[in-house]
Amino acid sequence: MKPRDFDVVVVGAGIAGGMVAYRLATAGARVLMIEAGGRNPPRFQMVGMYATAANKTLHSPYVEAESDLKAPSPDGPNDYYDQPQAGPGQAYKSTYERRTGGSTWHWLGHTPRMLRSDFQMQSRYGGRQDFPAGLVDWPTSYDDLEPWYCEAEREMGVAGSDEEWQGLFDSPRSKPFPMSMIWPSYSDTWIAERINGKKFEGIEYRVRSTPSARNSELYDGRPPCAGNSICVPLCPIGAKYDGSVHVAKAIAAGASLWERCVVSKLDKDKDDLVHTVEFLSYGGGKGSVTADIVVLTAHAIETPKLLLMSGLANKSDQVGRNLMDHLSKSTFGVAPEKLFPFRGPPSTSGIESFRDGEFRRQRAGFRVSLNNDGWSRKGSPSAEIIDLVTNQKLIGTDLQTALFERITRQVRLSCSVEVAPDASNRVVLSDKTDALGLPRPKLTFTPPDYSLRGLAQATKTLGDMFRLINATEVALGEPTAYDGAGHIMGTCRMGSSPNSSVVDSHCRSHDHRNLFIVGSSVFPTVGSPNPTLTLAALALRTAEEIGKQLGIKAKPHVQA
């Protein structure tokens, strides 16, 4: 039989794809990564583009990089996604980045783990008539994944406090964080002094430092955080981890990378194995490549879109279903004294107390973040300058004094609320096409009542926190108004049965034994933590499984 071009083709060169490619290439496999984006321009040029951009969005540093692309990243929920029925409470609001390294270029860097209970929602909290049917148990457990959490933290370089995070909600750690925590901001400690130990509806406030893939010291050749405060959308010095780190490691280990290529179809053989990957290039060309194993890591919107275009892995009718995100909300107030925001990372501390409890039988859990970026989500400081000049007619030293007095007391508190899976929230193929002639993703998303009840409770909690710190000008918004958290999850769920899930516990397709799907698309449920550490842990574990199928050892031994 004619040898195939590669042992493994990885579709998508983000954090999951980079980690899988790195581990397999290090073990001697012939690996190809196919990526829709590219690596240019370099980081320093993108920093300049962000600094001079009039409209500073998540995507603004990357616009020039995509100026000649036929399939650019979505900059908003309506400029690429097809959401014809979406109303204010029925829109999917999170976007992603088409770039080598993926959306971790503009992520915040937070890396909390999922809790033990997050893997066991049905068995722990199910039973009520209004408990969402989609809140199932994972086919794997916290204990199964715990050593891989440790390994992912080491690979990414996670800074955190072992003392604060050991045993949180019966979720122990077997190894210390690779680095000491990112030091809390002045406003973090000021707020903690006023709320720690107090309770809201029986749950105690406790401010903890938030684990993050951000260097607190020189680590893995990357510098320590310098507090530049623009982690979102771009770390200017590379102290914050992003997926390009492992893409570069994979290339150094011998993997190949084809950029600016969009995979258009996967072809299966008569024996239901997937060996052929077809792609289109931005230059107008098209081609195909073959491999013994194909790995999809193109995140939870592009992965199901590709599977639906290819007619694969969907005997369960679950491909594209259970689209999720966390419901995010920012709330604002003015502190009674100066807290000096806009220094350090946008968020360094949070509250985990509301993530778990018996209340999850009725409503979603949530995380709270204390933020160091003032009212930047409302346009500050430029919005403040416009107001003071236009409405109050201030100039010169009067303007400077008023601006300093105002901005130094701004506080933003935010939450991230668990979203229950719902089969009707989904990705399907649109009749509309992109510039390459491929179907755009058509999204349907309405937050379940379970999650909206959690969001309303989170809004009340944030209001109580503002009360405790004696804040004024508090703006909470509508109780169930939400933003996207940038956490694109679901659509290719993991499960034990091929009748109700797309992949098994090792992320192998039930329908095609040489097709693997890696990333947050496989999450059956999501809890309330940021998903990146969990998807990285799954990627590393899946790399070991792929190595076994290839007959190679794809990772060093990990102590349980």
Side-chain angles (χ1 to χ4, degrees):
M1 181 170 53
K2 181 180 177 181
R4 296 187 177 92
D5 300 319
F6 293 90
D7 298 321
V8 181
V9 167
V10 179
V11 180
I15 179 173
M19 285 189 171
V20 169
Y22 166 62
R23 284 298 177 91
L24 294 174
T26 300
R30 299 174 303 141
V31 180
L32 168 66
M33 295 174 282
I34 300 181
E35 167 58 37
R39 283 169 286 183
N40 290 318
R43 187 185 300 266
F44 77 91
Q45 287 187 19
M46 292 191 296
V47 172
M49 286 188 285
Y50 179 69
T52 57
N55 184 23
K56 289 180 168 55
T57 68
L58 284 177
H59 190 56
S60 55
Y62 311 101
V63 172
E64 184 175 315
E66 296 185 347
S67 60
D68 62 341
L69 300 190
K70 294 183 178 179
S73 309
D75 194 20
N78 298 310
D79 62 359
Y80 170 68
Y81 305 148
D82 181 7
Q83 299 197 75
Q85 306 301 320
Q90 298 177 310
Y92 195 79
K93 300 181 180 181
S94 286
T95 59
Y96 60 87
E97 203 60 53
R98 266 187 176 167
R99 179 174 173 83
T100 300
S103 297
T104 46
W105 274 94
H106 63 46
W107 72 315
L108 186 55
H110 285 174
T111 52
R113 298 180 176 190
M114 292 182 71
L115 304 173
R116 182 185 296 277
S117 58
D118 292 334
F119 295 88
Q120 304 169 330
M121 286 298 293
Q122 179 61 44
S123 57
R124 286 207 178 201
Y125 299 121
R128 286 176 56 101
Q129 187 174 359
D130 58 351
F131 188 78
L135 284 174
V136 297
D137 291 353
W138 285 49
T140 192
S141 69
Y142 178 86
D143 291 332
D144 292 335
L145 205 56
E146 199 281 331
W148 297 101
Y149 272 136
C150 296
E151 188 71 1
E153 288 166 348
R154 185 186 67 80
E155 287 284 2
M156 298 166 71
V158 172
S161 168
D162 297 301
E163 178 183 359
E164 293 179 346
W165 284 81
Q166 182 59 259
L168 177 70
F169 288 112
D170 190 32
S171 305
R173 300 179 52 82
S174 62
K175 291 184 179 180
F177 287 104
M179 286 177 280
S180 61
M181 65 183 180
I182 300 293
W183 204 252
S185 68
Y186 174 72
S187 62
D188 291 344
T189 56
W190 186 90
I191 293 173
E193 289 172 358
R194 285 154 181 78
I195 69 171
N196 275 354
K198 294 183 172 63
K199 294 184 178 181
F200 181 65
E201 298 187 358
I203 298 178
E204 183 176 306
Y205 293 116
R206 182 186 172 191
V207 175
R208 289 178 169 86
S209 63
T210 302
S212 60
R214 178 181 291 103
N215 288 0
S216 60
E217 61 189 61
L218 182 65
Y219 187 90
D220 201 23
R222 305 195 310 275
C225 175
N228 287 287
S229 80
I230 61 165
C231 313
V232 180
L234 176 67
C235 176
I237 63 172
K240 181 188 70 174
Y241 173 88
D242 64 71
S244 67
V245 170
H246 274 87
V247 172
K249 288 185 176 185
I251 294 171
S256 299
L257 172 64
W258 295 355
E259 295 177 306
R260 301 160 65 84
C261 296
V262 177
V263 175
S264 55
K265 188 179 180 183
L266 306 177
D267 293 319
K268 70 174 182 178
D269 298 338
K270 293 180 180 179
D271 57 1
D272 271 343
L273 296 181
V274 179
H275 291 300
T276 303
V277 178
E278 299 181 16
F279 61 89
L280 304 174
S281 70
Y282 293 134
K286 60 182 180 180
S288 65
V289 65
T290 60
D292 293 326
I293 289 176
V294 175
V295 186
L296 296 186
T297 67
H299 72 72
I301 290 178
E302 294 297 328
T303 290
K305 192 187 86 167
L306 176 57
L307 290 172
L308 292 171
M309 288 192 300
S310 305
L312 296 178
N314 200 25
K315 292 179 181 178
S316 63
D317 189 34
Q318 291 298 305
V319 170
R321 295 190 183 274
N322 303 297
L323 175 65
M324 292 175 280
D325 186 10
H326 289 123
L327 304 184
S328 177
K329 165 172 278 194
S330 289
T331 57
F332 307 91
V334 175
E337 58 185 88
K338 294 179 176 65
L339 301 184
F340 306 101
F342 299 100
R343 301 183 302 173
S347 179
T348 44
S349 298
I351 298 172
E352 313 298 320
S353 310
F354 302 93
R355 288 176 59 185
D356 195 36
E358 285 298 311
F359 63 81
R360 292 178 85 186
R361 297 186 185 277
Q362 305 173 58
R363 59 173 171 80
F366 57 91
R367 292 188 67 246
V368 171
S369 289
L370 280 58
N371 301 288
N372 306 322
D373 56 357
W375 290 7
S376 62
R377 299 293 177 97
K378 296 178 70 174
S380 184
S382 59
E384 305 294 338
I385 296 172
I386 293 171
D387 176 65
L388 292 171
V389 172
T390 304
N391 297 323
Q392 301 187 39
K393 312 300 182 185
L394 298 180
I395 60 172
T397 56
D398 290 338
L399 172 61
Q400 290 178 327
T401 300
L403 186 64
F404 182 77
E405 177 65 24
R406 180 78 174 166
I407 288 179
T408 54
R409 297 190 293 126
Q410 290 178 345
V411 178
R412 182 172 73 92
L413 302 176
S414 62
C415 63
S416 179
V417 181
E418 172 185 21
V419 166
D422 186 326
S424 61
N425 288 336
R426 63 188 303 192
V427 178
V428 297
L429 301 179
S430 173
D431 293 333
K432 300 176 181 178
T433 58
D434 62 19
L436 290 172
L438 300 176
R440 289 163 52 184
K442 183 176 181 179
L443 309 185
T444 301
F445 182 78
T446 300
D449 289 342
Y450 177 87
S451 301
L452 292 176
R453 290 193 292 269
L455 179 58
Q457 183 68 18
T459 303
K460 290 169 57 180
T461 305
L462 296 174
D464 184 65
M465 292 175 63
F466 279 120
R467 179 187 65 82
L468 290 173
I469 66 172
N470 294 316
T472 57
E473 299 183 43
V474 174
L476 300 177
E478 292 298 318
T480 56
Y482 68 93
D483 294 315
H487 303 161
I488 303 173
M489 302 173 287
T491 69
C492 294
R493 65 165 32 188
M494 177 192 297
S496 300
S497 171
N499 297 321
S500 58
S501 59
V502 179
V503 299
D504 64 17
S505 62
H506 290 286
C507 300
R508 179 189 285 107
S509 163
H510 290 301
D511 299 350
H512 317 284
R513 65 181 183 273
N514 75 325
L515 175 66
F516 290 79
I517 302 171
V518 186
S520 56
S521 61
V522 306
F523 289 13
T525 62
V526 299
S528 51
N530 311 60
T532 306
L533 184 72
T534 299
L535 76 85
L538 289 172
L540 294 171
R541 188 174 77 157
T542 300
E544 181 188 54
E545 187 69 15
I546 294 171
K548 290 178 181 178
Q549 194 159 318
L550 289 172
I552 59 177
K553 185 177 180 181
K555 56 163 286 299
H557 178 66
V558 179
Q559 290 284 345

